[in-house]
């Protein structure tokens, strides 16, 4: 007989299979001699009370041989003679769109402006050494997209569209550990992602698909009101219906669309800073234990959200045991982000701390943007009546301003957390995981008022719920701007092609319909399905 139970158990009871079995039998009144095996199906940490517990779902085999978990495996067939679909961008949206196209017997031709994930790794190391990013091969651009050297957290709040479990099974099929199928907050880690991405590429090639690296789409070609092809910087034209999965850092793609009068609209997004604490402190605070997490608990995470003066202030993409990295794609501008290896073994915890910005907030930021652009000798897009290029420009202005306040290269401006809240300069800075280096800077003086005041108040409120979170052992590193896209490429809600124009399917984070790896992958699959049905 097979039983399934949801149980609350102590962390050490889940760490050892014999102990887990005894514990389940004791709690459920089963005879241990008759139980042949116990499989963990789900686990999550519940740290709300003083005693931290695990919430687990288990499958128990009684009087019959225990079975292994059997995740669904997708078999991919040869599509070398099938009709082509052009997929622009090899991030999670583009790669999962390509896999779905193969399932639907279409031949994906992937065009990717950056390099293979392996070569990209070298460029990232070189960028830190030379304090200069390669603008076509960085944390945003290249095989795997922004997802390749990301943290690889695979949880998403969006459960509406598509099947999260199916995407996790695919990640597992291509090399991720089985743990991602069990954990409530699955995590792959930046060290494991490149191998998985290379496996996905190999599958696409084995089935007869194509992958063209260092091939940047520069134009979208239409015929009788329908998109029929794209042109690349090499001059080569690729014909077929197009899945546009270019991510939210490809500002040139938005500019191209604006020039071509293709439908775009401004949308809300969020900007702020990355906050870095010692991980040991976060473990102590979140697990209510001065000794930290002990041997059986994972490194602790947190998540905060508050409303301040009518806008959300929240933590974003928290990376326990992680590193802060320079995640921009433009020299003379600075963006930071966070990631962690699979063992989450660093001494630091970081997260984005960001403030919601809505299109109607633009006038409040316009003096700031104009000043930064003027002082940097750049033009401002203030004659753009639709506001969408201004949203991009606001994002870019904060990135340029962060660069200007750190002085050079990839160095980032930083300030201790309490000093920022109190409006006081930091005389020095704590140690940090950010390898290119930090420079003490008065973020409370130069960040746009609408952001800094909300962050200051937000931090006080976060400290009310977790006493000790607001501390000068933590520091803010500027700036975090690439939380989601500030624009949406408008698409037909039912057919998912461009609003009013067939043949082009904008998808993933850059199209404004997803945020994060899993939701971008789900959106990629959805667009591939529509494209295969309708073209
Ligand atoms: C450091 C870091 C950590 C992150 N951590 C997480 C995390 O833990 N969990 C999570 O869910 N999300 C995380 N993210 C965000 C996540 O990576 C993105 O949400 C996701 O990658 C978006 O997928 P996408 O396919 O829509 O776009 P992208 O991943 O941005 O991919 C777009 C691709 O298109 C290519 N491209 C752009 N323009 C062109 C062109 N003109 N021609 C050809 N190719 C083009 C780009 O080179 C890129 O490869 C992180 C991001 C970063 C940078």
């Amino acid at each position: 007989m097979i039983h399934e139970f949801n149980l609350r158990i102590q962390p050490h009871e889940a760490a050892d299979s014999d102990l887990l079995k005894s514990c389940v039998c004791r709690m459920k009144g089963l005879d241990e001699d008759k139980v042949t095996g116990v499989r963990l199906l789900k686990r999550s940490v519940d740290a709300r009370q003083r005693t931290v517990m695990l919430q687990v779902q288990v499958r128990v085999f009684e009087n019959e041989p225990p079975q292994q978990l059997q995740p669904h495996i997708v078999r991919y067939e040869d599509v070398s003679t099938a009709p082509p679909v052009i997929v622009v961008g090899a991030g999670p949206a583009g790669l999962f769109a390509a896999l779905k196209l193969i399932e639907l017997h279409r031949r994906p031709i992937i065009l990717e402006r950056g390099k293979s994930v392996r070569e990209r790794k070298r460029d990232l190391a070189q960028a830190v050494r030379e304090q200069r990013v390669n603008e076509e091969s960085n944390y945003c651009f290249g095989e795997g997209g922004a997802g390749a050297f990301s943290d690889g957290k695979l949880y998403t709040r969006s459960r509406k569209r598509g099947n999260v479990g199916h995407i996790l099974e695919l990640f597992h099929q291509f090399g991720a550990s089985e743990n991602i199928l069990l954990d409530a907050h699955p995590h792959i880690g930046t060290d494991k992602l490149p191998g998985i991405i290379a496996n996905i590429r190999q599958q696409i090639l084995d089935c007869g698909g194509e992958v063209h690296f260092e091939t940047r789409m520069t134009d979208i070609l239409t015929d009788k009101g329908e998109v029929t092809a794209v042109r690349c910087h090499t001059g080569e034209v690729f014909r077929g219906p197009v899945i546009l999965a270019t991510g939210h850092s490809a500002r040139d793609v938005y500019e191209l669309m604006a020039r071509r009068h293709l439908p775009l609209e401004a949308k809300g997004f969020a900007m702020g800073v990355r906050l870095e604490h010692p991980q040991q402190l976060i473990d102590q605070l979140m697990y209510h234990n001065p000794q930290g997490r002990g041997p059986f608990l994972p490194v602790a995470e947190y998540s905060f959200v508050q409303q301040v003066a009518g806008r959300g202030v929240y933590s974003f993409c928290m990376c326990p045991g992680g590193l802060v990295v320079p995640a921009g794609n433009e020299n003379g501008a600075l963006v930071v982000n966070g990631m962690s290896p699979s063992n989450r073994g660093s001494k630091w915890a970081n997260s984005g701390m960001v403030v919601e910005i809505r299109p109607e907030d633009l006038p409040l930021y316009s003096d700031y943007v104009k000043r930064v652009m003027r002082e940097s000798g750049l033009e401002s897009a203030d004659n753009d009546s639709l506001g969408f290029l201004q949203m991009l420009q606001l994002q870019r202005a904060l990135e340029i301003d962060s660069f200007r306040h750190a002085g050079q290269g990839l160095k980032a401006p930083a300030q201790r957390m309490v000093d920022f809240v109190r409006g006081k300069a930091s005389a020095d800075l704590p140690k940090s995981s950010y390898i290119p280096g930090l420079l003490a800077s008065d973020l409370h003086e130069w960040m746009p008022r609408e952001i800094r005041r909300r962050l200051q108040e937000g931090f006080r409120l976060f400290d009310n719920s977790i006493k000790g979170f607001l501390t000068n052992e933590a520091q803010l590193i500027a700036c975090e701007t690439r939380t989601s896209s500030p624009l949406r490429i408008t698409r037909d809600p039912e057919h998912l092609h461009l609003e009013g124009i067939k043949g082009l399917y904008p998808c993933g984070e850059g199209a404004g319909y997803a945020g994060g790896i899993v939701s971008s992958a789900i959106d990629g699959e959805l667009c591939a399905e529509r494209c295969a049905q309708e073209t």
Side-chain angles (χ1 to χ4, degrees), residues 121-132:
K121 207 169 182 173
R122 282 200 285 270
D123 290 333
L124 294 184
Q126 188 170 345
V128 171
R129 274 198 309 277
E130 297 182 357
Q131 294 269 335
R132 221 186 134 65

Side-chain angles (χ1 to χ4, degrees), residues 410-448:
L410 300 180
K411 277 206 163 46
Q415 185 170 18
R416 287 184 186 259
M417 191 182 186
V418 175
D419 291 345
F420 173 78
V421 169
R422 294 196 181 144
K424 175 175 169 283
S426 293
D428 58 9
L429 296 172
K431 285 203 168 113
S432 169
S433 66
Y434 186 75
I435 295 171
L438 299 175
L439 194 82
S441 172
D442 296 342
L443 272 61
H444 68 277
E445 296 271 352
W446 60 262
M447 288 196 83

Side-chain angles (χ1 to χ4, degrees), residues 148-271:
F149 298 97
S150 74
D151 193 38
K153 285 180 291 294
L154 298 183
Y155 45 96
T156 169
R157 290 195 194 110
S158 130
R159 305 216 166 245
K160 290 180 294 199
R161 294 171 298 129
N163 183 343
V164 175
H166 162 69
I167 298 294
L168 297 182
E169 283 179 340
L170 279 178
F171 271 112
H172 175 53
Q173 178 171 343
F174 287 103
S177 136
E178 195 180 68
N179 285 339
I180 66 164
L181 306 176
L182 307 180
D183 288 324
H185 285 179
H187 169 247
I188 294 185
T190 198
D191 48 330
K192 306 279 184 209
L193 281 158
I196 295 168
I197 288 159
N199 291 345
I200 294 178
R201 181 217 318 151
Q202 196 54 50
Q203 178 72 76
I204 293 167
L205 294 175
D206 289 347
C207 290
E210 294 175 20
V211 182
H212 300 259
F213 292 124
E214 299 183 68
T215 304
R216 179 165 46 90
M217 178 202 75
T218 50
D219 208 354
I220 295 169
L221 308 183
T222 52
D223 185 23
K224 301 190 187 88
E226 190 163 331
V227 172
T228 52
V230 295
R231 179 175 290 119
C232 292
H233 76 289
T234 52
E236 199 173 350
V237 170
F238 291 84
R239 294 192 188 283
V242 178
I243 292 186
L244 188 73
T246 42
H248 64 25
S249 294
R251 291 179 179 146
D252 51 351
V253 173
Y254 295 127
E255 282 158 12
L256 163 68
M257 301 204 67
R259 271 199 315 278
R260 288 256 170 254
H261 303 289
L262 296 172
L264 283 174
E265 56 191 300
K267 73 176 250 309
F269 73 118
M271 303 201 298

